[in-house]
Amino acid sequence: MDCSLVRTLVHRYCAGEENWVDSRTIYVGHREPPPGTEAYIPQRYPDNRIVSAKYTFWNFIPKNLFEQFRRIANFYFLIIFLVQLIIDTPTSPVTSGLPLFFVITVTAIKQGYEDWLRHKADNAMNQCPVHFIQHGKLVRKQSRKLRVGDIVMVKENEIFPCDLIFLSSSRGDGTCHVTTASLDGESSHKTHYAVQDTKGFHTEEEIDGLHATVECEQPQPDLYKFVGRINVYNDLNDPVVRPLGSENLLLRGATLKNTEKIFGVAIYTGMETKMALNYQSKSQKRSAVEKSMNVFLIVYLCILISKALINTVLKYVWQSEPFRDEPWYNQKTEAERQRNLFLRAFTDFLAFMVLFNYIIPVSMYVTVEMQKFLGSYFITWDEDMFDEDTGEGPLVNTSDLNEELGQVEYVFTDKTGTLTENNMEFKECCIEGHVYVPHVVCNGQVLPDSSGIDMIDSSPGVSSREREELFFRALCLCHTVQVKDDDDVDGPRMSPGSGKSCVYISSSPDEVALVEGVQRLGFTYLRLKDSYMEILNRDSGIERFELLEILSFDSVRRRMSVIVKSATGEIYLFCKGADSSIFPRVIEGKVDQIRSRVERNAVEGLRTLCVAYKRLIPEEYEGICKLLQATKVALQDREKKLAEAYEQIEKDLILLGATAVEDRLQEKAADTIEALQKAGIKVWVLTGDKMETAAATCYACKLFRRSTQLLELTTKKIEEQSLHDVLFELSKTVLRCSGSLARDNFSGLSADMQDYGLIIDGAALSLIMKPREDGSSSNYRELFLDICRNCSAVLCCRMAPLQKAQIVKLIKLSKEHPITLAIGDGANDVSMILEAHVGIGVIGKEGRQAARNSDYAIPKFKHLKKMLLVHGHFYYIRISELVQYFFYKNVCFIFPQFLYQFFCGFSQQTLYDTAYLTLYNISFTSLPILLYSLMEQHVSIDTLKRDPSLYRDIAKNALLRWRVFIYWTFLGLFDALVFFFGAYFMFENTTVTNNGQIMTTSTHMIFGNWTFGMLVFTVMVFTVTLKLALDTHYWTWINHFVIWGSLLFYIVFSLLWGGIIWPFLNYQRMYYVFIQMLSSGPAWLAVVLLVTVGLLPDVLKKVLCRQLWPTATERVQSPCPTAARRGPHPQEVAFTFWNSEEYATLPPTLGPAQGPLGSSLSRGCPGSGPEMPV
């Protein structure tokens, strides 16, 4: 059989039609079209079940285990555990298996519980009742049983069960209102429109008799994009083809509002709905700390392998003499003698790997995850970051990047809605050179609704009066504003003199400001009803215009248009947009006068729009209709074809005038930017606004200062001279001033250096990013980056959304690899938010697309200051200490074990008991560092906010650099040497008692290898815990409870473990060991002395560094360890950064030595009996 035929059948009947066609055809109500139209091809689509859960009952264990063991650390410990099971190793498999089992089990329980909650939510959603039409009647069934093609009825306040094409509604005009808060967070009512040819079907029988097919694109996750068409069959005539767009699509998860009921046909169901496709998570971002942690793990893995190799080699060197290889008490069997040397050496190497594997801290991963998860709540609980005006607080969408907030070097911010309030106020309009300002004083009188102030020409003439009214009508008609429904607004809306005004709703605050502004100038927009727009003119007369077409706004065209027909039959095209997109299309009007006014308003920081129009003759309009109809029904490249059609239509315009709207600066935006610059963070503003408006805003928010010399890299300058010349000229300018001195990489704020500010527009950026004719673009990019590095601030204007992301990526991938942060509030900021290392969304008035796609969301821009300078600072300090401390305490833990091999003939004898090997990282030392990493405050919150320069102390991963890492490692080595050799020299001289036990001559203490290990372990636990106590500066009762409680738990556990004969153990080697050790006074003295010696170098280093080379943080800390309490907060004491020279002097490592520990021990399974005398 032909393989291609088999493949086709499999795709068609198993995978579904959507896998092998670009579009899908849906038969409305599962009715076949009339004969002779097209063949009926049944298609297979998924049912309407939503599955957000990852696991099922059957695959949970294997799938969860597979995902967990994909982590390198878990897989490594699994290998170690398997090695312990397979070969004869010095430690029990429990020592590796139990911590691994604990980590795997805790993670599995957490993930299983979360998945159970998802299953519960899925079942509730899939079993909710839905009404659909079957044989002309209303039938009720569960949501999961819906199929593509079913006609569904949804009532008011119900949630749409799947993605529907809107067929008809109870409203006469065929509209409905929906809210999409669960999809994109927007709570405003959005208007959707039924298909023109089906909006008259209001009953079940009528809608069941509909013969139609829907052709549309395959499912894709963009909530705001949909391309399709519907073919409606009336009798045997050719079908009526209507275009379908996002305005006809009702999305699953949205709620029907202010509409009694609607009918719709299901086109996407189940996991193919746009809501389900948006479940997919964003690409995983990794913090700099996590990358450092992985590098350190590799270093410690190399140390582990080196230790195992050294011990393996030395073991065979040690056993080269026969009496050492086969002592009288441990003769080899014949099978052991015949084993291959290399196989024996490899087995010994694996055994040493198992013995020393605890240097890799498996519990560190669990602790880091817990710290990040629990620590993220400090942001959401922060009352200072709660905005009472909006009732919104900060959101944490991912906790994986908490510490990255303390490492930011570049902030890329949007302007409108981020730096500004996005609360527009209409200031003025300019018509034919005459400026109109609402409600101003003229000749000592307050003008009523309309105020014409002639600032350029004399009083307007008759023709100018006509243009003036045409301008006002254009503002009343060229928009997508909705009038809020109210039962008793018809009367007041008709009579503006009553003092009541309309309530306007729009997704764009600019449009509402313009409509409200023109209302104050005498023209009031009333409503859109049955495709007719009604306005109230100055003479209180109602004018009706038929809305023929809307040419929607987009960020590329930067304009929108409407085509309307007046009551007298005249057809107008009204167009409004940015000056850069209107002026090139104008052939008539007072362009120079209006342009000068626009530029003046832009310099003052006002947002400007230009308005133009043209009259259309009927024949011209018919051509436009045919062009738009052909492009709107296209399934392929519809957006591109529409853009080309709009380009043809919007030309040869007559300029009417321009508007100016003010967008006020957000509260404390200037203070926030100033603080960020003092913290060494470079701030870039990326906006779509024109240069003059954006520059005025930058001056207002103190991004640019009066002393800042502005450098322009704009299209206008490139037109005058080539891009190459402009770049080299700017480069010489900024480098000449800096000379041979290295400019501060973080901030250009310097008293003895000239500050530069760079302004670049989108067109110039495109030229820089465009590959050169010789195939290279790196030269221009590097030159551009050099200029930017020497500028204190950069303004990028006229930026498309994709260009914003390109800028962020360019800086992110530069040779310094700085940590970037992007912040914005609109859908056009999503691309740069996703591109940056850290993305922050502002919960603003342009919807919540930015907040949904960000890592963190904040109500206002001012909250960024505390998020970075306080929370980010603390997060980084805490987790860097956590990482370094984990490596330090594991070096202290395992290096004595390494030293012990030199005194036991490399026999792989363990120094510690199995229980202590297992519980060291799980119980004895885990809680204090976890609590430290959640609550530590080395300086007060007020100090961090008052002195932003402290942020520089931790910049560029300062606390996880190699120098600091080596210091912690050498400190661990030094402490391990103190623990081991302190105990060793204390018990150096021993004697044998009458009953054969070994007793120290100086301390008269019963002594053996487990006592020695117990003493080393006790000193180690006390030292590493007290080391953390010395580093703690923010003491609370919880700190005291956990730190001293951990030490108490260790003592109680040791007393119980060694004071009871446990029946489940096949050995009792620790019986009475701890109690015997505590019964000796010199042992107490040894513990105190060795702990003091172990802590002394770190204390001396901190004191010396604080006195000789203090950091900025240490200078602002209180020198007194008992600082005054601030309200309910405990005292805060001094803190020292570990970034000075590493401890350089270490005792030499001893080789195999003579003495009481110098004899070889049994190579058999250790610990098979009571404590062995040495």
Side-chain angles (χ1 to χ4, degrees):
M1 192 180 195
D2 186 8
C3 292
S4 63
L5 179 59
V6 174
R7 191 183 307 115
T8 303
L9 291 173
V10 169
H11 274 294
R12 180 177 296 184
Y13 294 107
C14 299
E17 191 80 7
E18 64 272 14
N19 285 331
W20 57 281
V21 292
D22 294 330
S23 61
R24 60 171 54 185
T25 302
I26 295 110
Y27 298 90
V28 178
H30 306 289
R31 284 177 169 270
E32 299 182 25
T37 51
E38 57 184 21
Y40 179 73
I41 305 174
Q43 301 180 49
R44 297 174 63 87
Y45 302 113
D47 58 22
N48 200 40
R49 282 180 299 173
I50 285 291
V51 181
S52 62
K54 289 174 61 178
Y55 309 105
T56 65
F57 177 80
W58 305 106
N59 72 6
F60 173 73
I61 292 178
K63 190 174 181 179
N64 185 264
L65 288 177
F66 173 74
E67 289 180 351
Q68 291 207 57
F69 284 119
R70 288 171 66 184
R71 297 190 72 164
I72 295 175
N74 290 346
F75 183 72
Y76 164 78
F77 274 89
L78 177 65
I79 296 298
I80 293 293
F81 176 64
L82 294 177
V83 168
Q84 288 178 293
L85 290 176
I86 295 170
I87 68 171
D88 182 18
T89 57
T91 57
S92 167
V94 175
T95 58
S96 292
L98 189 60
L100 181 64
F101 177 77
F102 173 76
V103 170
I104 297 295
T105 304
V106 169
T107 308
I109 291 173
K110 171 180 171 290
Q111 293 178 350
Y113 175 70
E114 291 173 349
D115 205 61
W116 177 76
L117 293 179
R118 286 193 287 266
H119 271 287
K120 194 174 178 182
D122 290 346
N123 290 334
M125 188 179 294
N126 293 330
Q127 293 174 7
C128 67
V130 174
H131 297 90
F132 73 105
I133 309 298
Q134 190 173 37
H135 305 303
K137 295 182 180 178
L138 207 59
V139 180
R140 181 174 172 176
K141 64 180 178 182
Q142 290 182 346
S143 172
R144 63 187 175 89
K145 296 181 179 179
L146 269 180
R147 294 184 300 153
V148 170
D150 284 347
I151 300 177
V152 181
M153 187 191 79
V154 181
K155 296 181 180 179
E156 185 176 4
N157 294 323
E158 288 184 350
I159 297 174
F160 299 118
C162 59
D163 290 352
L164 305 169
I165 291 296
F166 183 17
L167 297 177
S168 68
S169 78
S170 56
R171 287 171 169 264
D173 58 358
T175 62
C176 73
H177 297 289
V178 304
T179 58
T180 56
S182 61
L183 295 173
D184 57 12
E186 296 184 42
S187 57
S188 61
H189 290 192
K190 297 182 176 66
T191 303
H192 287 255
Y193 301 91
V195 177
Q196 187 70 22
D197 298 87
T198 63
K199 68 179 183 180
F201 298 168
H202 298 295
T203 65
E204 289 82 358
E205 292 79 9
E206 290 175 342
I207 204 78
D208 188 54
L210 174 65
H211 276 67
T213 58
V214 175
E215 298 173 71
C216 61
E217 62 186 358
Q218 293 295 354
Q220 50 97 4
D222 192 337
L223 296 175
Y224 310 101
K225 180 185 175 185
F226 175 72
V227 175
R229 64 184 176 216
I230 185 169
N231 304 292
V232 181
Y233 298 92
N234 297 319
D235 300 328
L236 295 178
N237 298 328
D238 290 336
V240 178
V241 182
R242 298 288 183 188
L244 299 174
S246 57
E247 70 276 5
N248 309 115
L249 183 66
L250 303 173
L251 299 177
R252 177 172 192 152
T255 306
L256 183 65
K257 294 289 185 182
N258 294 346
T259 309
E260 184 182 343
K261 66 178 181 179
I262 65 101
F263 292 102
V265 58
I267 59 164
Y268 303 133
T269 53
M271 297 308 293
E272 290 185 342
T273 58
K274 289 182 179 287
M275 182 182 77
L277 293 176
N278 277 276
Y279 285 157
Q280 298 170 0
S281 59
K282 304 181 290 292
S283 60
Q284 189 70 25
K285 296 180 179 180
R286 295 172 60 214
S287 70
V289 170
E290 186 178 349
K291 294 173 185 175
S292 298
M293 194 165 69
N294 291 337
V295 172
F296 296 160
L297 274 175
I298 293 172
V299 171
Y300 270 67
L301 185 61
C302 294
I303 294 173
L304 169 63
I305 295 172
S306 302
K307 282 183 176 182
L309 280 173
I310 291 170
N311 276 265
T312 304
V313 172
L314 291 178
K315 175 176 182 175
Y316 284 92
V317 172
W318 170 266
Q319 294 180 351
S320 58
E321 298 183 26
F323 75 93
R324 287 179 175 171
D325 187 29
E326 291 189 64
W328 60 269
Y329 55 83
N330 194 18
Q331 294 287 331
K332 287 182 179 180
T333 64
E334 190 62 31
E336 288 178 320
R337 290 193 182 96
Q338 297 299 324
R339 285 183 68 190
N340 183 276
L341 178 64
F342 291 104
L343 184 60
R344 279 187 293 155
F346 181 69
T347 304
D348 284 326
F349 172 76
L350 292 179
F352 280 118
M353 286 282 289
V354 169
L355 186 64
F356 302 140
N357 83 88
Y358 300 96
I359 197 172
I360 307 293
V362 64
S363 58
M364 180 175 68
Y365 283 97
V366 179
T367 309
V368 166
E369 284 191 2
M370 291 177 65
Q371 189 269 346
K372 289 184 175 183
F373 174 72
L374 297 173
S376 63
Y377 283 99
F378 291 126
I379 290 180
T380 58
W381 292 338
D382 193 336
E383 294 181 358
D384 292 342
M385 298 176 69
F386 182 82
D387 186 59
E388 295 182 355
D389 297 336
T390 60
E392 300 280 0
L395 301 174
V396 178
N397 297 328
T398 176
S399 59
D400 293 338
L401 302 172
N402 292 344
E403 64 276 8
E404 205 82 328
L405 295 171
Q407 294 294 295
V408 174
E409 298 172 54
Y410 282 83
V411 168
F412 300 93
T413 174
D414 178 41
K415 185 182 77 70
T416 306
T418 305
L419 292 178
T420 60
E421 290 182 351
N422 204 11
N423 186 14
M424 311 299 178
E425 181 184 354
F426 185 85
K427 301 302 289 184
E428 67 171 53
C429 59
C430 174
I431 309 168
E432 292 279 307
H434 307 283
V435 177
Y436 295 76
V437 182
H439 303 298
V440 298
V441 177
C442 182
N443 297 327
Q445 296 182 346
V446 178
L447 297 180
D449 294 316
S450 172
S451 305
I453 302 179
D454 185 9
M455 299 188 68
I456 300 175
D457 291 342
S458 57
S459 59
V462 177
S463 62
S464 296
R465 178 80 175 180
E466 292 176 0
R467 291 282 177 89
E468 172 191 308
E469 294 191 352
L470 199 57
F471 176 87
F472 293 148
R473 289 188 180 94
L475 289 183
C476 280
L477 299 171
C478 188
H479 56 72
T480 57
V481 170
Q482 305 165 24
V483 181
K484 188 175 182 181
D485 284 335
D486 197 339
D487 293 337
D488 52 19
V489 297
D490 284 343
R493 204 185 281 153
M494 307 279 272
S495 54
S498 63
K500 296 182 180 179
S501 60
C502 304
V503 178
Y504 299 114
I505 303 172
S506 175
S507 58
S508 170
D510 293 79
E511 289 198 326
V512 174
L514 292 175
V515 174
E516 289 178 346
V518 78
Q519 181 181 13
R520 288 153 58 197
L521 290 167
F523 281 76
T524 304
Y525 171 62
L526 298 178
R527 62 181 172 178
L528 170 65
K529 184 177 182 182
D530 299 328
S531 298
Y532 281 89
M533 302 180 81
E534 298 179 2
I535 63 175
L536 192 70
N537 61 26
R538 287 175 178 169
D539 303 324
S540 298
I542 295 180
E543 300 178 7
R544 286 166 57 89
F545 290 84
E546 183 182 358
L547 180 60
L548 302 176
E549 298 285 351
I550 297 179
L551 280 59
S552 303
F553 174 86
D554 64 68
S555 58
V556 178
R557 284 168 51 241
R558 299 180 60 79
R559 61 185 183 277
M560 75 160 291
S561 301
V562 294
I563 301 176
V564 296
K565 186 176 183 180
S566 68
T568 59
E570 294 178 310
I571 301 175
Y572 293 95
L573 181 144
F574 292 116
C575 181
K576 73 175 182 187
D579 58 320
S580 60
S581 65
I582 296 293
F583 284 144
R585 289 164 179 78
V586 168
I587 59 171
E588 188 181 333
K590 298 185 178 180
V591 178
D592 294 336
Q593 293 170 326
I594 294 174
R595 191 197 302 273
S596 65
R597 191 67 193 176
V598 166
E599 291 174 353
R600 175 177 172 179
N601 288 333
V603 169
E604 294 176 1
L606 302 178
R607 296 165 61 87
T608 57
L609 284 177
C610 294
V611 181
Y613 84 105
K614 73 173 177 179
R615 282 189 175 90
L616 300 175
I617 59 175
E619 293 78 9
E620 192 177 2
Y621 170 65
E622 287 178 11
I624 290 174
C625 273
K626 291 178 181 178
L627 177 63
L628 290 176
Q629 179 67 16
T631 55
K632 284 182 178 179
V633 297
L635 290 181
Q636 303 296 328
D637 299 325
R638 179 185 290 185
E639 291 184 353
K640 181 181 177 182
K641 293 175 181 177
L642 276 175
E644 293 172 352
Y646 292 163
E647 196 72 23
Q648 293 181 37
I649 297 167
E650 296 168 327
K651 63 181 182 180
D652 302 332
L653 304 177
I654 301 172
L655 186 62
L656 285 173
T659 62
V661 175
E662 182 183 27
D663 188 8
R664 287 189 292 271
L665 208 62
Q666 275 199 21
E667 179 191 6
K668 296 184 178 178
D671 175 60
T672 302
I673 286 182
E674 190 174 19
L676 293 179
Q677 288 181 326
K678 288 180 179 177
I681 300 172
K682 281 194 172 183
V683 182
W684 290 30
V685 174
L686 313 181
T687 179
D689 273 356
K690 61 182 305 181
M691 186 180 78
E692 293 81 6
T693 305
T697 304
C698 290
Y699 275 114
C701 66
K702 296 184 180 177
L703 183 70
F704 294 157
R705 300 168 184 275
R706 296 304 169 191
S707 60
T708 303
Q709 181 180 341
L710 293 186
L711 308 174
E712 290 186 18
L713 182 53
T714 58
T715 313
K716 181 179 178 182
K717 201 159 187 184
I718 293 173
E719 288 173 355
E720 298 172 357
Q721 49 185 325
S722 68
L723 175 62
H724 180 274
D725 294 340
V726 174
L727 284 172
F728 273 91
E729 183 181 320
L730 293 177
S731 178
K732 283 192 290 185
T733 303
V734 296
L735 295 177
R736 187 192 315 122
C737 183
S738 58
S740 59
L741 296 175
R743 192 177 183 84
D744 189 345
N745 283 330
F746 289 124
S747 176
L749 301 179
S750 176
D752 55 351
M753 295 178 68
Q754 172 66 51
D755 280 331
Y756 292 103
L758 178 66
I759 300 177
I760 180 174
D761 61 15
L765 179 67
S766 298
L767 291 175
I768 292 171
M769 302 297 291
K770 183 180 178 181
R772 296 167 62 182
E773 294 179 359
D774 59 0
S776 67
S777 62
S778 58
N779 290 345
Y780 283 167
R781 294 183 188 183
E782 286 302 320
L783 200 56
F784 172 67
L785 286 173
D786 284 337
I787 295 169
C788 293
R789 289 188 194 101
N790 288 278
C791 292
S792 57
V794 178
L795 165 63
C796 304
C797 52
R798 298 295 195 195
M799 287 281 151
L802 191 59
Q803 287 182 313
K804 292 183 177 183
Q806 285 178 336
I807 283 280
V808 176
K809 187 175 182 179
L810 184 67
I811 298 299
K812 188 171 82 168
L813 298 180
S814 61
K815 59 185 178 183
E816 297 90 358
H817 296 289
I819 304 300
T820 58
L821 180 147
I823 178 170
D825 71 318
N828 60 330
D829 303 315
V830 170
S831 55
M832 74 169 180
I833 285 173
L834 294 177
E835 184 63 50
H837 291 96
V838 183
I840 296 185
V842 176
I843 308 171
K845 299 182 179 180
E846 292 188 16
R848 298 205 181 185
Q849 298 96 315
R852 282 195 313 118
N853 289 278
S854 62
D855 304 306
Y856 304 88
I858 54 177
K860 293 287 179 62
F861 181 77
K862 66 179 181 180
H863 298 133
L864 184 65
K865 176 181 176 181
K866 187 172 185 182
M867 178 170 270
L868 296 187
L869 304 187
V870 178
H871 289 291
H873 198 121
F874 284 152
Y875 282 139
Y876 179 74
I877 288 289
R878 293 162 180 170
I879 201 167
S880 58
E881 170 93 2
L882 184 152
V883 171
Q884 300 281 29
Y885 179 80
F886 253 98
F887 286 115
Y888 157 78
K889 71 186 182 74
N890 277 40
V891 170
C892 292
F893 179 45
I894 214 63
F895 194 66
Q897 179 74 70
F898 173 74
L899 295 174
Y900 188 55
Q901 297 308 302
F902 289 83
F903 297 91
C904 66
F906 307 98
S907 60
Q908 299 153 8
Q909 168 66 33
T910 59
L911 180 61
Y912 314 114
D913 179 58
T914 300
Y916 294 97
L917 282 171
T918 306
L919 296 178
Y920 176 73
N921 278 318
I922 293 179
S923 301
F924 299 147
T925 60
S926 58
L927 276 181
I929 184 59
L930 176 62
L931 196 75
Y932 175 96
S933 65
L934 289 173
M935 304 190 68
E936 173 62 7
Q937 294 182 20
H938 59 299
V939 290
S940 69
I941 294 175
D942 293 335
T943 303
L944 288 177
K945 288 196 291 188
R946 188 172 60 249
D947 189 357
S949 63
L950 299 179
Y951 193 84
R952 298 183 183 217
D953 276 358
I954 60 170
K956 291 190 176 292
N957 211 10
L959 301 187
L960 288 174
R961 291 179 185 164
W962 284 108
R963 186 177 65 179
V964 186
F965 171 70
I966 291 171
Y967 167 74
W968 278 87
T969 302
F970 272 76
L971 184 64
L973 292 174
F974 172 80
D975 286 348
L977 290 168
V978 170
F979 307 154
F980 185 85
F981 288 107
Y984 170 76
F985 288 120
M986 180 179 176
F987 301 122
E988 186 175 12
N989 298 315
T990 58
T991 185
V992 181
T993 62
N994 294 331
N995 58 2
Q997 292 179 314
I998 292 181
M999 175 180 289
T1000 58
T1001 56
S1002 57
T1003 61
H1004 301 288
M1005 172 179 160
I1006 303 299
F1007 181 63
N1009 66 313
W1010 298 117
T1011 307
F1012 177 70
M1014 192 77 241
L1015 180 61
V1016 172
F1017 194 86
T1018 303
V1019 174
M1020 175 176 59
V1021 169
F1022 273 78
T1023 302
V1024 298
T1025 305
L1026 293 176
K1027 164 78 170 77
L1028 192 65
L1030 285 175
D1031 290 345
T1032 301
H1033 308 86
Y1034 191 78
W1035 284 94
T1036 65
W1037 67 267
I1038 305 177
N1039 293 78
H1040 287 287
F1041 176 78
V1042 169
I1043 288 179
W1044 313 124
S1046 293
L1047 296 176
L1048 183 63
F1049 171 76
Y1050 166 70
I1051 294 171
V1052 171
F1053 173 84
S1054 298
L1055 289 172
L1056 291 174
W1057 186 248
I1060 299 174
I1061 297 178
W1062 298 97
F1064 58 85
L1065 293 177
N1066 60 0
Y1067 63 87
Q1068 303 295 333
R1069 62 192 177 203
M1070 296 305 294
Y1071 181 66
Y1072 217 63
V1073 170
F1074 189 70
I1075 299 172
Q1076 174 67 31
M1077 187 188 77
L1078 293 183
S1079 64
S1080 170
W1084 285 84
L1085 180 62
V1087 170
V1088 174
L1089 184 63
L1090 294 179
V1091 168
T1092 304
V1093 173
L1095 294 175
L1096 189 61
D1098 193 49
V1099 173
L1100 290 175
K1101 176 254 177 187
K1102 291 184 178 187
V1103 172
L1104 289 175
C1105 286
R1106 177 176 288 274
Q1107 295 298 322
L1108 301 178
W1109 308 285
T1111 63
T1113 305
E1114 290 166 346
R1115 292 191 189 100
V1116 301
Q1117 288 172 331
S1118 170
C1120 178
T1122 55
R1125 296 175 183 264
R1126 301 188 318 278
H1129 297 293
Q1131 64 187 19
E1132 295 178 27
V1133 297
F1135 179 89
T1136 304
F1137 289 106
W1138 303 273
N1139 58 359
S1140 65
E1141 296 300 323
E1142 64 270 11
Y1143 194 79
T1145 307
L1146 291 173
T1149 304
L1150 299 180
Q1154 301 298 320
L1157 300 181
S1159 58
S1160 177
L1161 297 179
S1162 170
R1163 290 181 297 123
C1165 184
S1168 56
E1171 178 177 14
M1172 294 178 289
V1174 183

